[in-house]
């Protein structure tokens, strides 16, 4: 099989362009959950300002947990029970909270940007400072007022 110099040159240029593009748009490495912080949460139900990035907390009962200021970016909270939990100033961007129960939770100033809260229950959740749901999936979510959200994408700043 004969390969022309033009084909080789074109391939090298294409691969160089791809490598350059990847470097230009490189995203900072995503941190993983801090295992000490996760252990503290599971033992004490207290983890203020903890790094729980990408933590798998699905189906756990975290009722009454104090997660004020915690970083839960990309965390899995599918089916988690967060009844009466303190999520004030917490970051839950890109987190998955499908079917999560946040009944009576404090979500003051929490950030849920691009989070998936489909079919979650936020009934009677409180937000003294607006929570940010920009880009969040709120399909079927029970909002603090008891109203069901029917939209897939919300641009709302507060519940």
């Amino acid at each position: 099989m004969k390969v022309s110099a033009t084909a080789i040159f074109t391939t090298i240029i294409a691969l160089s362009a791809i490598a350059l593009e990847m470097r230009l748009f490189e995203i900072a490495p995503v941190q993983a959950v801090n295992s000490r912080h996760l252990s503290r949460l599971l033992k004490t139900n207290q983890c203020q300002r903890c790094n729980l990035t990408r933590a798998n907390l699905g189906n756990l009962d975290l009722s009454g947990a104090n997660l004020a200021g915690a970083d839960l970016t990309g965390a899995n909270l599918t089916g988690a029970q967060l009844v009466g939990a303190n999520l004030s100033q917490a970051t839950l961007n890109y987190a998955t909270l499908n079917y999560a129960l946040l009944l009576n939770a404090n979500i003051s100033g929490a950030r849920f940007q691009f989070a998936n809260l489909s079919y979650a229950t936020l009934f009677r959740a409180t937000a003294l400072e607006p929570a940010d749901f920009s880009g969040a999936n709120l399909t079927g979510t029970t909002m603090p007022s008891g109203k069901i959200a029917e939209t897939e994408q919300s641009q709302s700043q507060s519940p």
Side-chain angles (χ1 to χ4, degrees):
M1 175 164 131
K2 190 175 177 185
V3 179
S4 71
T6 305
I8 293 171
F9 181 72
T10 304
T11 302
I12 291 172
I13 295 297
L15 291 174
S16 297
I18 291 169
L20 178 62
E21 183 176 329
M22 288 173 65
R23 222 175 337 182
L24 290 175
F25 294 104
E26 188 173 279
I27 298 173
V30 177
Q31 293 183 359
V33 64
N34 180 312
S35 59
R36 288 190 322 254
H37 291 179
L38 180 59
S39 180
R40 180 184 338 154
L41 173 64
L42 298 175
K43 287 178 184 174
T44 68
N45 222 21
Q46 303 290 314
C47 209
Q48 302 91 319
R49 294 177 300 282
C50 285
N51 175 5
L52 298 169
T53 303
R54 298 189 308 163
N56 184 2
L57 303 170
N59 298 310
L60 292 181
D61 185 353
L62 299 171
S63 295
N66 187 350
L67 293 162
D71 187 353
L72 291 146
T73 301
N76 174 19
L77 291 151
T78 300
Q81 294 182 37
L82 294 153
V83 177
N86 182 359
L87 294 167
S88 62
Q89 303 301 320
T91 301
L92 293 116
N93 299 335
Y94 299 96
T96 304
L97 292 111
N98 302 4
Y99 299 97
L101 182 59
L102 286 86
L103 181 70
N104 293 321
N106 177 354
I107 58 170
S108 295
R111 291 172 298 285
F112 293 92
Q113 296 174 348
F114 301 99
N116 187 346
L117 289 110
S118 59
Y119 302 99
T121 299
L122 283 85
F123 187 56
R124 293 193 304 238
T126 58
L128 300 178
E129 296 176 44
D132 186 351
F133 290 90
S134 301
N137 179 349
L138 299 172
T139 303
T141 300
T142 305
M143 301 306 288
S145 64
K147 193 174 187 180
I148 306 289
E150 296 179 10
T151 180
E152 279 198 31
Q153 297 293 319
S154 170
Q155 298 305 315
S156 136
Q157 288 291 324
S158 63

